[in-house]
Amino acid sequence: LFRNLYVHLGAMHQSNGRGGTSERSWNRAFANFLFYGDNWMVSIKPWMLIFKSSSSDLHNGDISHYLGHGRLLAAFKLGDRFSVSLESRNNLESGFSRGMEEIELSYRLYKHFSLFAQGFSGYGQTLLSYDHYTNALGVGVSFNEWV
């Protein structure tokens, strides 16, 4: 639409594929507004549940109370090799009682290969345990970059 603005509209189905009482799924329509510059990116992604009777209403009717109706993501390059991203979901909507925060730090070793560390705190780290509060740290490798 404008320079440094990208808008993506779509629909998404997410499921753990387990079936029965362990089934977790939901369908969403979303709009992703991505603002960006040379060394930064901010994404605002609101969504709404769709086709609830064939997904979320069956096994996890309260999923939106934990995973919310949108997320905010910001990523920044810090020099040539370091980058950081911050993500937040459902904090304002739940009054900071059922949200999530995630921070990721990465260090680029080669053009498209990075090491990263990630910290997660909140609800919805996995679809099966979307309604359980979790704190987690992880390390790994990445083959692409946010910014």
Side-chain angles (χ1 to χ4, degrees):
L1 296 175
F2 301 100
R3 187 182 182 309
N4 297 359
L5 171 63
Y6 175 78
V7 178
H8 179 215
L9 304 173
M12 172 186 286
H13 169 77
Q14 185 178 9
S15 173
N16 65 354
R18 290 200 172 180
T21 59
S22 295
E23 172 73 21
R24 300 292 182 270
S25 64
W26 62 333
N27 297 311
R28 298 173 283 166
F30 66 87
N32 188 13
F33 301 93
L34 186 71
F35 306 91
Y36 60 92
D38 290 337
N39 296 314
W40 61 274
M41 179 273 301
V42 173
S43 170
I44 301 168
K45 185 178 182 181
W47 58 69
M48 62 184 230
L49 272 66
I50 57 174
F51 308 118
K52 292 177 9 174
S53 62
S54 61
S55 65
S56 57
D57 282 353
L58 293 176
H59 303 289
N60 43 268
D62 62 347
I63 195 166
S64 64
H65 296 297
Y66 293 92
L67 302 185
H69 292 93
R71 68 118 169 92
L72 176 65
L73 174 67
F76 307 92
K77 272 191 176 179
L78 308 170
D80 289 339
R81 295 190 176 265
F82 285 100
S83 65
V84 61
S85 69
L86 307 163
E87 182 176 353
S88 176
R89 183 179 61 226
N90 198 33
N91 279 308
L92 294 176
E93 183 180 349
S94 71
F96 295 94
S97 65
R98 290 183 307 271
M100 75 70 103
E101 301 80 32
E102 184 175 85
I103 184 168
E104 183 173 300
L105 303 169
S106 68
Y107 178 75
R108 185 173 49 84
L109 295 173
Y110 301 104
K111 186 174 182 178
H112 297 289
F113 180 75
S114 299
L115 299 175
F116 75 91
Q118 183 182 74
F120 179 95
S121 181
Y123 291 89
Q125 185 179 24
T126 68
L127 196 56
L128 183 60
S129 60
Y130 70 89
D131 56 353
H132 292 42
Y133 185 86
T134 306
N135 288 312
L137 292 173
V139 293
V141 295
S142 174
F143 296 102
N144 61 1
E145 295 180 278
W146 282 106
V147 188

